[in-house]
Amino acid sequence: GAGVSQTPSNKVTEKGKYVELRCDPISGHTALYWYRQSLGQGPEFLIYFQGTGAADDSGLPNDRFFAVRPEGSVSTLKIQRTERGDSAVYLCASSLIDTETQYFGPGTRLLVL
Amino acid sequence: KQEVTQIPAALSVPEGENLVLNCSFTDSAIYNLQWFRQDPGKGLTSLLLIQSSQREQTSGRLNASLDKSSGRSTLYIAASQPGDSATYLCAVRRMDSSYKLIFGSGTRLLVRP
């Protein structure tokens, strides 16, 4: 595809449930990033992948959050035992290398009831 | 810790007006600074990127300036149009972790016809 795609676009779940959010980066981009954006705020960094490995996961808020990128392309952000405070827009971005412009996907809007 | 602040939080102007959006950051050791546009329910679109060695960048009706020593950047929009209505975000990359974007909270711009 031409840009970064994210699925689902919207996700409603109940407190305590498990969710997976998917990101398809631009083909050939080795760097992939996850950010979280709360209402009225700018995006906050969660995790950065270089290839298959998480080079920096310092932004993950706690151990309920985990992300993988097993083949160096698609990435999945996994949230266990969701809480209402996890409700936000989760944005994915990719770049050719980590110093280049990041291209953002449309985001997944997660609502935890 | 790098903090990014944007003022004003919201701005409403009549069509045709020239306007300035402000961004300030607390640590001048930045790799670059980037301005993004975000439309409701959409991802982020990169508008302008200024490297730390540069003073300004221009694209069409947009001009962004950077003053590292004072920790400030401005985005100038000339002859505003209703289609410019969106949230504008600035983000900096630190020298020591240049892959990570640190965002301000954004300025919500409404250009009235």
Side-chain angles (χ1 to χ4, degrees):
Chain A
V4 178
S5 61
Q6 293 186 245
T7 54
S9 54
N10 293 281
K11 177 69 177 180
V12 181
T13 191
E14 294 179 344
K15 181 175 177 295
K17 298 290 188 182
Y18 168 84
V19 296
E20 289 189 351
L21 312 179
R22 176 186 168 109
C23 172
D24 281 85
I26 293 172
S27 178
H29 281 193
T30 61
L32 185 145
Y33 318 80
W34 285 97
Y35 293 84
R36 180 169 73 171
Q37 186 175 24
S38 300
L39 192 64
Q41 301 296 315
E44 292 182 314
F45 170 82
L46 295 177
I47 187 169
Y48 155 58
F49 285 90
Q50 181 57 253
T52 61
D56 182 351
D57 64 358
S58 62
L60 295 178
N62 51 59
D63 61 5
R64 296 186 296 105
F65 289 73
F66 189 72
V68 296
R69 195 187 186 197
E71 299 179 355
S73 178
V74 171
S75 176
T76 304
L77 179 65
K78 308 181 181 192
I79 310 174
Q80 298 177 326
R81 304 183 304 279
T82 52
E83 299 178 356
R84 293 192 180 88
D86 299 335
S87 297
V89 176
Y90 290 81
L91 294 165
C92 176
S94 71
S95 63
L96 195 57
I97 58 174
D98 59 12
T99 55
E100 293 297 318
T101 298
Q102 296 179 17
Y103 295 88
F104 282 79
T108 293
R109 282 149 199 80
L110 175 66
L111 176 61
V112 182
L113 300 176
Chain B
K1 178 185 175 185
Q2 179 70 272
E3 294 184 359
V4 181
T5 304
Q6 290 187 247
I7 54 173
L11 184 62
S12 177
V13 300
E15 181 177 5
E17 197 162 290
N18 302 325
L19 55 99
V20 174
L21 308 182
N22 297 288
C23 172
S24 61
F25 46 95
T26 54
D27 186 348
S28 61
I30 64 170
Y31 183 80
N32 61 35
L33 182 144
Q34 199 164 1
W35 283 92
F36 290 88
R37 168 184 173 139
Q38 186 172 32
D39 292 281
K42 303 288 180 61
L44 280 64
T45 301
S46 178
L47 297 173
L48 291 164
L49 185 151
I50 311 176
Q51 300 293 349
S52 63
S53 58
Q54 297 175 322
R55 297 283 293 182
E56 66 177 344
Q57 282 286 337
T58 298
S59 176
R61 293 182 295 108
L62 306 179
N63 175 276
S65 67
L66 174 65
D67 184 342
K68 269 201 329 178
S69 60
S70 66
R72 292 181 182 178
S73 176
T74 61
L75 178 67
Y76 175 82
I77 304 177
S80 58
Q81 303 171 357
D84 295 330
S85 299
T87 295
Y88 291 81
L89 294 153
C90 75
V92 301
R93 295 193 192 194
R94 287 165 30 184
M95 291 295 292
D96 60 350
S97 57
S98 59
Y99 50 84
K100 185 188 302 185
L101 294 175
I102 302 170
F103 285 86
S105 296
T107 294
R108 294 188 312 280
L109 173 65
L110 173 65
V111 181
R112 308 186 304 272

